[in-house]
């Protein structure tokens, strides 16, 4: 058809030219003009040439076939091959130079693929090569500026637009409005809008969305009304854009107003608009409105279902989100990538690991496991559910990993307490040339804080400065927190002082840093300064402060914080009250804890659990069990933490019967398979002396971690089965591959001490050195105790001297006990004096070891002098154990009357059988029957169930 048209045109053209030019042109002239006209009409556009060799347009080597007809057209011999070749030769230099259309095609391709920096670079190159941009060029470049929020580049483009006279073009003007609005310059956007000669729905929509984005919702609604008054009716794109922006800034009232306009315009039944309504209501927290729109929709596609699922997740209704997911599939709607991301978030919030695994299987079956966003959500879900191994497996299998994937993996490792591995992963990320973003830096700083890696934290800080992220408030807060937790409060203060904007999180991090460094008064002053600067403390601020006070037993500071809590009106906040109870209990003031607990208007399971744990910590196990009964009477269901606290209560008072009853309830509530609870059961049975029950629970455990093994090993040690404990230690490592921690080494050293296994103790010591655990104060103390009990006081001294700089009161006391055990009274006294001189805190246990050393070495007068100086000089109150030790000291020296007078001098000891029993033993040694008979009667009166009084008598 095209060929016939061309032939017909040739004949018409020839006839017309002959008629017009008969008198003025020769036949040759007519033929030349025909050639030019035909060339211009059919062949001047290179895109119409056909190249039979590659089936593609080739502007350099055409074989003169027309693309549409795919036939050679020589047109009656007029366009001959030599003439066309000459024409091509004349055009060759111009055909190589790309046209503005080709530049625009490349620009559009970069914008579509999100490569905004390349778009701007290409625009600069285009200008360097002398190509004049047109309206389409400016539209593409402005879109790149708005998407990347490149305001400076956008302003330069605006200047170029003005120079070229393109500002009046409605498409260019709309893009300028959009660019300025997205870059936060709504005033400039409005200026451009006012300069435009005419406005269409696109320009109005761009300006309206800009005002909503800048938080001026009412102004946006006024513009929407003005737009309608001027006869420009909003379309579905306007409404969807408005709803999306309302959703992004949680502008519920504005969103409802837009909904009314949608109903007026009759767009509510549109699937695209309906899905945006559901999404807006969900993101604004009004799930009931979202459900109302969702249920009214006649057709619901995957986008609509996904919006509904995401809305429920955002509103904390993860169970409902999973139910919707099931219903969606039942109705035949197949999930897409975004659906799976929402469902995985629901599983993560519920810590529903098994449900997450089922969703993962479905993702693999549908082929979405290769999607980078789905993969990242899988990593996040597994991490939050505590299965870091599954998260790492997903991460390793990902074919493509972006910065979000790396960041999710780093955050997951930090959450699971593997900060060191998170830092190692960041180095691998650097090697693969993946640039970290602000959230990555937050994760890395949290990792440094968790393992106290100060130097690594400083290296990350340097990277943050290089990347220009230090001014970001989230990064700044994390820097303050990292330096504070790593003990460098000066660096934390420097970062804090440099911050241009500080919120309640910044202040809280700084306050907690001072508390951690033992500067409680400074922390309280910061709290006051924070309030003076108009920053209102959040409940989290007080929770953090109270937790910090609890960790260092800062009771007075805790009371000051309590006063501030009441002043700020958080006295009835359940989370703050729970932290108050915990703080008072951990600081030893169980009466204050009870006062807060009793004054609470509403108490949740955490309140009861904290109170139960507080009583256990204060040695009131029976009271803890009574509280549990009261808790059940009030209809509060216990959780896994409650049961562990109750098991600790049973263990502390050796209440095996109650422990078994708690075990039955654990089974009824489905918590026996929980690793945390089952480890508590093993520990309870072991401490109650029922090693068989402990072993039964231990053997039933599907998975056993180091805590479970430690409980079992300690149980055998407590029951005097040191050899069995050592066998378990070997089995734990060689058969199940569980690596010991410092607590394990303490248990094993106690086992070695119990059976005097010196060589085994030395082997364990070697392993401790290889594991870099020798500097741990409790491990060092256990080593000293083990060597002393195994008869090698020299090895005990060697360990003590090796860790002397890091020794605490426990290590010093262990060494003192070693001297006492070996009867080295003089060395014990010298050690005590050195301990006092070096400022080591002396406690009641230290004095027991000191008095025992005096007793074994017969240093009666020295022992009496130290006993008298306990309270006035060293600030340590004497207990029944100390009196018993002094009675033993005087009794060994035959000074029985002095011993009896000492007991009578303390009203507390008068009512305690311990000291009287010690005196009865001394009467037996020295054969004082008269006093012995009198003392024995006293022992029986105080403790009728104690058979030792009868035996000694």
């Amino acid at each position: 058809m095209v060929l016939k048209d061309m032939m017909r045109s040739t004949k018409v053209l020839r006839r017309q030219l002959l008629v017009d030019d008969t008198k003025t042109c020769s036949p040759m002239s007519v033929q030349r003009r025909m050639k030019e006209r035909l060339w211009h009409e059919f062949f001047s556009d290179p895109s119409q040439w056909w190249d039979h060799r590659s089936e593609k347009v080739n502007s350099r080597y055409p074989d003169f076939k027309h693309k549409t007809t795919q036939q050679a057209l020589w047109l009656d011999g007029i366009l001959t091959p030599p003439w066309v070749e000459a024409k091509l030769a004349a055009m060759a230099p111009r055909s190589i130079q790309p046209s503005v259309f080709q530049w625009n095609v490349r620009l559009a391709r970069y914008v579509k693929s999100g490569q905004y920096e390349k778009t701007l670079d290409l625009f600069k190159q285009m200008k360097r090569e002398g190509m004049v941009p047109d309206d389409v060029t400016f539209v593409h470049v402005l879109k790149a500026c708005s998407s990347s929020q490149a305001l400076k580049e956008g302003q330069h483009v605006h200047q170029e637009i003005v120079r070229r006279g393109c500002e009046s073009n409605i498409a260019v003007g709309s893009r300028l409005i959009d660019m300025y609005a997205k870059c936060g310059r709504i005033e400039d956007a409005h200026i451009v809008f006012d300069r435009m000669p005419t406005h269409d729905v696109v320009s109005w929509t761009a300006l309206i969305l800009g005002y909503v984005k800048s938080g001026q919702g009412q102004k946006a609604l006024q513009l929407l009304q003005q737009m309608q008054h001027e006869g420009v009716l909003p379309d579905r794109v306007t409404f969807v854009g408005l709803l999306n922006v309302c959703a992004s800034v949680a502008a519920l009232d504005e969103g409802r107003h837009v909904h009314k306009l949608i109903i007026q315009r009759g767009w509510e039944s549109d699937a695209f608009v309906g899905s945006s309504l559901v999404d807006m209501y969900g993101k604004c927290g009004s799930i009931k409105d979202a459900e109302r729109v969702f249920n009214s929709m006649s057709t619901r596609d995957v986008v609509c279902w996904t919006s509904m699922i995401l809305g429920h997740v955002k509103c904390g209704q993860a169970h409902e989100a999973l139910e919707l997911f099931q219903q969606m599939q039942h109705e035949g709607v197949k999930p897409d990538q975004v659906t799976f991301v929402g469902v995985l978030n629901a599983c993560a919030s519920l810590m529903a690991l098994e449900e997450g695994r089922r969703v993962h299987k479905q993702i693999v079956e549908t082929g979405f496991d290769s999607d980078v966003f789905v993969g990242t959500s899988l990593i996040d879900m597994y991490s939050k559910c505590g299965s870091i191994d599954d998260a790492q497996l997903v991460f390793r299998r990902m074919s493509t990993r972006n910065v979000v994937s790396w960041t999710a993996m780093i955050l997951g490792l930090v959450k699971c307490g593997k900060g060191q591995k998170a830092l190692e992963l960041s180095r691998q990320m650097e090697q693969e040339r993946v640039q970290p973003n602000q959230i990555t830096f937050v994760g890395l700083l949290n990792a440094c804080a968790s393992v106290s890696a100060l130097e690594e934290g400083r290296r990350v800080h340097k990277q943050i400065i290089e990347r220009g992220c230090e001014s970001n408030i989230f990064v700044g807060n994390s820097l303050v927190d990292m330096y504070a937790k790593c003990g460098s409060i000066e660096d934390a203060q420097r970062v804090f002082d440099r911050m241009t904007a500080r919120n309640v999180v910044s202040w809280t991090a700084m306050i907690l840093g001072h508390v951690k460094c033992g500067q409680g008064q400074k922390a309280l002053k910061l709290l006051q300064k924070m309030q003076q600067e108009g920053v209102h403390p959040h409940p989290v601020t007080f929770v953090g402060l109270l937790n910090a006070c609890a960790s260092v037993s800062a009771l007075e500071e805790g009371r000051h914080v309590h006063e501030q809590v009441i002043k700020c009106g958080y006295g009835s906040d359940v989370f703050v009250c729970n932290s108050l109870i915990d703080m008072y209990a951990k600081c030893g003031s169980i009466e204050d804890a009870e006062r807060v607990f009793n004054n609470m208007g509403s108490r949740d399971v955490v309140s009861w659990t904290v109170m139960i744990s507080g009583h256990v910590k204060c040695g009131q196990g029976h009271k803890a069990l009574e509280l549990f009964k009261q808790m059940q009477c009030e209809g509060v269901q216990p959780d896994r933490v409650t049961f562990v606290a109750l098991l600790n209560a049973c263990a502390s008072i050796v209440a095996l019967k109650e422990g078994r009853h708690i075990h039955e309830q654990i089974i009824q509530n489905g918590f026996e398979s929980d690793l945390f609870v089952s480890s508590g059961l093993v520990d309870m049975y072991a401490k109650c002396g029922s090693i068989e029950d402990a072993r039964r629970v231990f053997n039933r455990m599907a998975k056993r971690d180091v805590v479970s093994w430690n409980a079992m090993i300690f149980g055998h040690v407590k029951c005097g089965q040191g050899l069995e404990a050592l066998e378990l230690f070997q089995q734990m490592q060689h058969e199940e591959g569980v690596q010991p921690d410092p607590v394990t080494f303490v248990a094993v050293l106690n086992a070695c001490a119990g059976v005097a296994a010196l060589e085994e103790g030395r082997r364990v010591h070697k392993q401790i050195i290889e594991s870099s655990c020798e500097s741990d104060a409790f491990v060092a103390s256990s080593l000293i105790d083990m060597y002393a009990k195994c008869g090698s006081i020299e090895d005990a001294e060697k360990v003590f001297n090796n860790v002397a700089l890091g020794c605490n009161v426990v290590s010093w006391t262990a060494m003192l006990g070693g001297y006492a055990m070996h009867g080295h009274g003089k060395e014990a006294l010298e050690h005590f004096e050195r301990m006092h001189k070096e400022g080591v805190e002396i406690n009641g246990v230290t004095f027991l070891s000191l008095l025992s050393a005096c007793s074994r070495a017969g240093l009666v007068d020295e022992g009496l002098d130290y006993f008298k100086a306990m309270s006035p000089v060293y600030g340590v109150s004497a207990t029944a154990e100390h009196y018993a030790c002094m009675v033993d000291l005087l009794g060994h020296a035959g000074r029985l009357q002095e011993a009896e007078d000492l007991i009578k001098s303390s009203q507390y000891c008068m009512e305690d059988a311990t000291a009287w029993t010690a005196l009865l033993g001394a009467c037996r040694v020295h054969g004082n029957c008269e006093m012995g008979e009198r003392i024995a009667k006293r022992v029986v009166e105080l403790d009728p169930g104690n058979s030792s009084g009868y035996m000694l008598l």
Side-chain angles (χ1 to χ4, degrees), residues 39 43 48-52 60-67 69-74 79-88:
W39 173 267
F43 288 94
Q48 296 303 310
W49 297 339
W50 187 270
D51 182 359
H52 71 282
R60 291 190 178 185
Y61 303 106
D63 66 348
F64 317 122
K65 288 184 179 180
H66 194 271
K67 186 175 181 181
T69 63
Q70 300 185 25
Q71 295 181 22
L73 299 176
W74 306 126
L79 297 182
T80 59
W83 188 91
V84 174
E85 285 174 359
K87 193 74 174 175
L88 286 173

Side-chain angles (χ1 to χ4, degrees), residues 613 616 621 641 643-653 680 683-684 687:
S613 298
V616 175
V641 185
F643 281 122
V644 170
L646 290 166
L647 292 171
N648 290 340
C650 295
S652 68
I653 58 175
D683 181 66
M684 181 274 294
K687 286 179 178 175

Side-chain angles (χ1 to χ4, degrees), residues 887 890 895-905 916 919 931 934-935:
V887 169
L890 293 167
R895 296 158 68 168
L896 302 179
Q897 191 56 52
E898 285 183 61
E900 185 177 3
D901 292 341
L902 181 66
I903 295 172
K904 290 178 179 178
S905 68
W916 291 108
L919 180 56
M931 180 181 281
R934 181 162 42 84
I935 300 302

Side-chain angles (χ1 to χ4, degrees), residues 302-313:
V302 65
V303 178
C304 189
W305 281 97
T306 302
S307 297
M308 202 64 205
I309 289 169
L310 292 171
H312 278 289
V313 174

Side-chain angles (χ1 to χ4, degrees), residues 581-810:
I581 295 166
D582 183 61
M583 180 274 296
Y584 280 126
K586 286 180 178 174
C587 290
S589 181
I590 197 67
E591 297 82 9
D592 285 314
E594 285 180 327
R595 199 173 296 116
V596 174
F597 181 78
N598 293 331
N599 289 334
M600 288 177 72
S602 62
R603 297 180 290 219
D604 60 8
V605 64
V606 179
S607 317
W608 287 95
T609 302
V610 171
M611 198 66 222
I612 289 168
S613 298
H615 280 290
V616 175
K617 181 175 175 60
C618 295
Q620 300 179 11
H622 289 292
K623 178 69 175 174
L625 296 177
E626 287 173 14
L627 268 174
F628 178 57
K629 291 176 184 175
Q630 186 183 342
M631 169 185 171
Q632 290 179 304
C633 290
E634 293 194 14
V636 180
Q637 291 299 313
D639 61 11
R640 58 200 286 270
V641 185
T642 317
F643 281 122
V644 170
L646 290 166
L647 292 171
N648 290 340
C650 295
S652 68
I653 58 175
V654 196
L656 181 59
K657 183 179 178 182
E658 288 80 358
R660 285 185 171 136
H661 181 64
I662 299 295
H663 190 177
E664 289 173 7
Q665 293 194 51
I666 287 169
I667 294 170
Q668 290 169 9
N669 284 271
F671 286 120
E672 194 185 26
S673 60
D674 184 277
L675 184 61
F676 186 44
V677 176
S678 53
S679 297
L681 278 166
V682 172
D683 181 66
M684 181 274 294
Y685 279 126
K687 286 179 178 175
C688 289
S690 181
I691 201 70
E692 297 81 10
D693 284 317
R695 171 66 77 174
R696 214 168 0 254
V697 175
F698 185 76
N699 291 339
R700 279 204 304 266
M701 293 173 70
K703 185 180 179 182
R704 297 182 289 220
D705 62 359
V706 68
V707 178
S708 323
W709 285 95
N710 290 347
M712 202 64 212
I713 292 168
F714 265 121
H716 280 289
V717 173
K718 180 176 173 58
C719 294
Q721 300 176 9
L723 294 175
E724 290 82 351
L726 294 175
E727 287 175 11
L728 274 173
F729 178 59
Q730 297 301 324
Q731 183 187 343
M732 161 188 169
Q733 298 172 91
H734 302 309
E735 293 183 21
E736 299 205 11
V738 178
Q739 293 303 310
D741 64 3
V743 180
T744 320
F745 287 127
V746 169
V748 174
L749 290 170
N750 287 347
C752 293
V755 294
L758 181 60
E759 291 308 313
E760 183 63 30
R762 284 184 171 138
R763 279 192 290 273
V764 174
H765 188 179
K766 185 179 178 182
Q767 192 173 346
I768 287 167
I769 294 169
E770 291 169 354
S771 302
S772 303
C773 292
E774 195 179 22
S775 59
D776 184 276
F778 295 101
V779 174
S781 303
S782 297
L783 275 167
I784 294 165
D785 183 65
M786 181 273 295
Y787 279 125
K789 286 180 178 175
C790 289
S792 180
I793 195 69
E794 297 81 9
D795 282 319
E797 286 178 327
K798 202 177 295 179
V799 171
F800 178 79
N801 293 329
N802 285 342
V803 294
L805 292 175
C807 278
N808 61 6
V809 63
V810 181

Side-chain angles (χ1 to χ4, degrees), residues 16 20 26 38 51 54 83 92 118 125 141 148 176 203 403 443 451 463 499 526 533 623 677 696 768 778 788:
Q16 183 182 345
D20 292 343
S26 65
L38 286 168
D51 182 359
S54 64
W83 188 91
K118 285 190 175 182
Q125 182 187 342
V141 176
S148 60
L176 272 170
S203 50
V403 64
V451 294
Q463 284 183 294
M499 292 176 72
L526 270 175
E533 293 195 11
K623 178 69 175 174
V677 176
R696 214 168 0 254
I768 287 167
F778 295 101

Side-chain angles (χ1 to χ4, degrees), residues 885-932:
C885 202
M886 282 306 300
V887 169
D888 187 62
L889 172 67
L890 293 167
H892 271 89
R895 296 158 68 168
L896 302 179
Q897 191 56 52
E898 285 183 61
E900 185 177 3
D901 292 341
L902 181 66
I903 295 172
K904 290 178 179 178
S905 68
S906 169
Q907 185 62 36
Y908 178 75
C909 285
M910 281 285 290
E911 305 302 323
D912 191 283
T914 309
W916 291 108
T917 305
L919 180 56
L920 182 58
C923 291
R924 182 187 64 82
V925 171
H926 291 281
N928 192 332
C929 296
E930 182 183 347
M931 180 181 281

